[in-house]
Amino acid sequence: MADISKDILQKIKKDEVRPYPKQYFLLKRSVIWTVFGLSILLGSVASAIALFQLRYAEWDLYKHLSHSLAEFVLLVIPFFWLIFLLGFTGFAYYYFRRTEQGYRYAAVWIILLSIVLSIIGGGLLYSTGLPDRLERVFQENLPFYRELQERKQKVWMSPAQGLLAGTITKVVSEQKVEIKDLYGNNWVIDIADTIWRGRLKPAEGLKIKILGKMKGQRSFVANEIRPWKGRRGQGRNRHLRLKNKR
Amino acid sequence: MNDYENMPDEQLVQLSLKDQDCFYYLMKRYEIKILRYIKRLTTVSHEEAEDIIQEVFIKVYRNLNGFNRKLKFSSWIYRIAHNEIVNQYRKTKLRLSMIPLSIDDEANLIDSIHDTIESNGAYENLENAEKVREALAKLPDKYREILVLRYLEDKSYDEISDILRKPTGTVATQINRAKASFKKIVRRHQLDKEIVK
């Protein structure tokens, strides 16, 4: 009977087969762990922005809208970033499974661990103010992202429900301003008894969100006016304001 | 003088990295086991099985520096053999099902399964090799492989986990499912009744 092992050894010698160097495996392992780490980091960024959007979502609008709670939740949940978080979690899972011992853990634990790490990382990034800056960068540079966020803001075009948004076109008096809403219609806004959030002052060109009551055709009484970005002056410009204070 | 035959696998791995000839003893140690494993999982001829084992041993040699000492060497080499069988399957579409187990293998497998599942009479008369072969042939590939590893290769759950790169819990579940599936096939095709007759 032929000695297979002997034949194979001869082939190894003849073909000058050599073991891959240790560095090759070290590099391979490092790449896998690096990609896993990057997936967690990007997942952290996604969860940081999602946390930011959730924190500054205008949950109080629910009482002004006729939508069901489920519909309202769908409106304010930052799906865009949650989908990214899930995507990066998928990457993290894929690469963790490819680590030396990764296959020993059940999929559900790896996925949970990745999500928890991304949320912890997201919390840390959130505290640095990064999501605020990133949100601004994305909105300024990615038209589809800006459009997506603006579509969400269309909820403010419900004057019958007491919500209106637009840009001030004329400050008529201390009691009255004119605005052009998001659809291009002109409105006269009664601001006699209005709370201005975010230290806003009436000025032409200022984009605002108005909570109040529709009085008649193209006429609206404002109870509260918020800046277009953020809620009650929080959020988007919070870090800039803090910087100015210092 | 080195006593290669009684040396632990891990030590032989280290020596093989320095001296190619030492790898011969490592191959010799696993030659029959891996060849048998390939034949248990495929329908290839002896010559084709030899080609596969050649690929397996060359891959083992190339990857010696990547051997994780937290694993048993035997698990690692079985893993490489499993991967190579899967590669060959993809390349040549060689059929993994309808494994032509030897009569001894079949008897061993049935004995083992029979010992580990609650006896309800369904297997009392499963000595009929043809019927047993029929039942085994109807099992999905993944179940057949896990039964082969557990009951013919005599691997522990942890070793199977390392070979197939699956969590131990999944291995346990698949073994139970494989046994249940085997049981169902026997019942569905009334193999037990025919055998009793």
Side-chain angles (χ1 to χ4, degrees), chain B residues 35 47 67 105 110 120 142 151 164 179 188 194-195:
Chain B
L35 204 55
E47 288 70 28
F67 167 56
D105 275 356
I110 294 308
N120 57 5
K142 62 175 179 178
Y151 298 113
L164 301 179
K179 289 193 292 195
R188 194 191 305 143
E194 285 182 36
I195 294 162

Side-chain angles (χ1 to χ4, degrees), chain A residues 1-26 28-29 95-107 110, chain B residues 14 16-17 20-24 27-29 31 35 46 50 53-55 57-58 61-71 79 158 161-168 170:
Chain A
M1 194 183 155
D3 188 342
I4 306 172
S5 297
K6 200 173 174 185
D7 294 344
I8 298 172
L9 186 67
Q10 275 168 1
K11 185 173 169 56
I12 286 174
K13 285 181 176 175
K14 192 179 141 222
D15 294 352
E16 295 183 354
V17 177
R18 295 275 175 273
Y20 296 129
K22 272 184 184 171
Q23 291 83 346
Y24 166 79
F25 296 98
L26 192 69
K28 202 171 158 187
R29 280 195 285 269
Y95 284 97
F96 187 81
R97 280 299 299 264
R98 266 139 198 85
T99 60
E100 280 193 317
Q101 311 281 323
Y103 62 87
R104 290 190 175 175
Y105 302 91
I110 303 175
Chain B
Q14 288 311 308
S16 301
L17 282 165
Q20 278 181 330
D21 290 327
C22 292
F23 189 58
Y24 171 79
M27 286 191 286
K28 203 70 200 158
R29 195 172 284 180
E31 183 187 298
L35 204 55
H46 183 76
E50 281 186 2
I53 202 175
Q54 178 173 297
E55 286 302 312
F57 282 146
I58 290 177
Y61 185 68
R62 280 209 170 105
N63 290 284
L64 277 181
N65 272 317
F67 167 56
N68 175 4
R69 289 184 196 183
K70 286 177 191 159
L71 291 185
R79 180 193 289 177
D158 284 342
S161 155
D162 291 335
I163 294 166
L164 301 179
R165 288 184 63 91
K166 284 179 181 171
T168 317
T170 307

Side-chain angles (χ1 to χ4, degrees), chain A residues 82-97:
Chain A
L82 290 182
I83 288 168
F84 265 83
L85 172 62
L86 286 181
F88 291 125
T89 301
F91 271 113
Y93 167 73
Y94 180 86
Y95 284 97
F96 187 81
R97 280 299 299 264

Side-chain angles (χ1 to χ4, degrees), chain A residues 80-144:
Chain A
F80 182 83
W81 292 109
L82 290 182
I83 288 168
F84 265 83
L85 172 62
L86 286 181
F88 291 125
T89 301
F91 271 113
Y93 167 73
Y94 180 86
Y95 284 97
F96 187 81
R97 280 299 299 264
R98 266 139 198 85
T99 60
E100 280 193 317
Q101 311 281 323
Y103 62 87
R104 290 190 175 175
Y105 302 91
V108 64
W109 290 116
I110 303 175
I111 290 169
L112 273 178
L113 173 83
S114 305
I115 291 178
V116 167
L117 284 176
S118 293
I119 290 174
I120 292 172
L124 292 173
L125 289 176
Y126 177 82
S127 64
T128 66
L130 180 75
D132 190 6
R133 288 193 290 271
L134 283 179
E135 175 82 0
R136 197 161 42 236
V137 169
F138 290 144
Q139 290 216 22
E140 279 164 10
N141 298 300
L142 302 174
F144 79 93

